[in-house]
């Protein structure tokens, strides 16, 4: 079981120390809530796990591989297959249809067209958005865009899904629906879910809570 290991991670921006020798162990199939006040480093930590930010020091081990030792292309391939992102605000490209948006990870991974089509059909069905695939984001009802973003994140069946503030613009009912969808994936496919958020609605779904801004170090 590979999981994610963060060992003595430090990160600062200009003169601001955001993470100081932070360590945590995330097991496969965990539903992790990274919480803490605004500015405490939740997004930074999520981006470090997702390979978007590089820590100043410390080791990041994803899927059994130390990110530091990977070349650009190896790193890209690992993240492409292993990690799916749900971006803050459920961003979809307004110029692409819902179906095209969802398929993007497969396009970037050079999936052959028939496989791409088949996967889109399957994932759209799972998320209940089969009827919206030909529409543009602006033409879809509330809730469909959120589902489309989740479908895009899950397109390549990643082992880890990272979500930054996924409930921030949602009412309580929609938020719970999104969290429930993620939880079903976590439970059924042992996907690791990591959510950065201060929203207390997430806590009941979490199997592990990492709190930043207090004592930043977790002992394991
Ligand atoms: P959170 O997600 O918990 O609100 P962030 O990880 O976004 O916190 O930010 C933590 C701190 O780091 C904040 O003070 C923020 O201003 C700063 N910060 C984050 N990213 C950058 C960046 N790219 N450049 C400069 N400062 C940044
Ligand atoms: Mg943030």
């Amino acid at each position: 079981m590979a999981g994610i290991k963060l060992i003595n991670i430090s990160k600062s921006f200009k003169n601001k120390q955001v993470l100081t020798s932070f360590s945590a162990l995330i097991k496969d199939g965990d539903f992790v809530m990274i919480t803490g006040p605004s500015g405490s480093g939740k997004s930074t930590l999520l981006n470090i796990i997702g390979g978007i930010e590089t820590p100043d020091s410390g080791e990041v081990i994803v899927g059994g591989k130390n990110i530091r030792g990977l070349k650009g292309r190896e790193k890209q391939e690992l993240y492409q297959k292993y990690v799916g992102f749900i971006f803050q605000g459920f961003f979809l490209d307004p110029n692409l249809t819902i179906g095209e948006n969802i398929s993007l990870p497969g396009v970037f991974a050079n999936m052959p067209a028939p496989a791409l089509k088949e996967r889109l059909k399957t994932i759209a069905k799972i998320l209940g958005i089969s009827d919206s695939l030909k529409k543009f984001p602006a033409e879809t009802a509330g809730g469909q865009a959120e589902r489309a973003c989740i479908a895009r994140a899950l397109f390549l069946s990643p082992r880890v899904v990272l979500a930054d503030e996924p409930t921030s613009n949602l009412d309580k009912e929609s938020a719970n629906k999104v969290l429930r969808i993620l939880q079903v994936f976590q439970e059924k496919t042992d996907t690791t879910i990591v959510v950065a958020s201060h929203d207390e609605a997430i806590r009941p779904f979490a199997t592990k809570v990492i709190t930043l801004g207090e004592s930043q170090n977790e002992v394991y």
Side-chain angles (χ1 to χ4, degrees), residues 13-14 16 18 37-44 53:
F13 294 106
K14 299 194 180 93
K16 192 179 180 352
V18 180
S38 180
S40 60
K42 302 184 292 296
S43 296
T44 302
E53 303 257 20

Side-chain angles (χ1 to χ4, degrees), residues 12-14 16-18 35-47 53 88 164-165 196 198 212:
S12 55
F13 294 106
K14 299 194 180 93
K16 192 179 180 352
Q17 184 86 20
V18 180
T35 189
S38 180
S40 60
K42 302 184 292 296
S43 296
T44 302
L45 186 59
L46 201 73
N47 291 341
E53 303 257 20
Q88 200 161 2
D164 200 352
E165 306 283 358
H198 58 267
L212 299 178

Side-chain angles (χ1 to χ4, degrees), residues 50-65:
I52 292 171
E53 303 257 20
T54 310
D56 300 331
S57 60
E59 306 303 323
V60 183
I61 313 225
V62 174
K65 294 198 171 111

Side-chain angles (χ1 to χ4, degrees), residues 60-115:
V60 183
I61 313 225
V62 174
K65 294 198 171 111
N66 191 326
I67 297 311
R68 197 178 293 285
L70 297 182
K71 295 195 183 67
R73 180 137 172 235
E74 291 172 318
K75 193 172 161 185
Q76 191 192 335
E77 276 177 12
L78 170 73
Y79 278 112
Q80 210 168 50
K81 290 196 189 116
Y82 201 83
V83 180
F85 283 92
I86 299 173
F87 297 102
Q88 200 161 2
F90 293 99
F91 178 78
L92 292 169
D93 188 328
N95 300 311
L96 299 178
T97 64
I98 296 288
E100 287 166 345
N101 267 289
I102 296 172
S103 308
L104 274 184
V107 173
F108 288 133
N110 295 320
M111 246 168 114

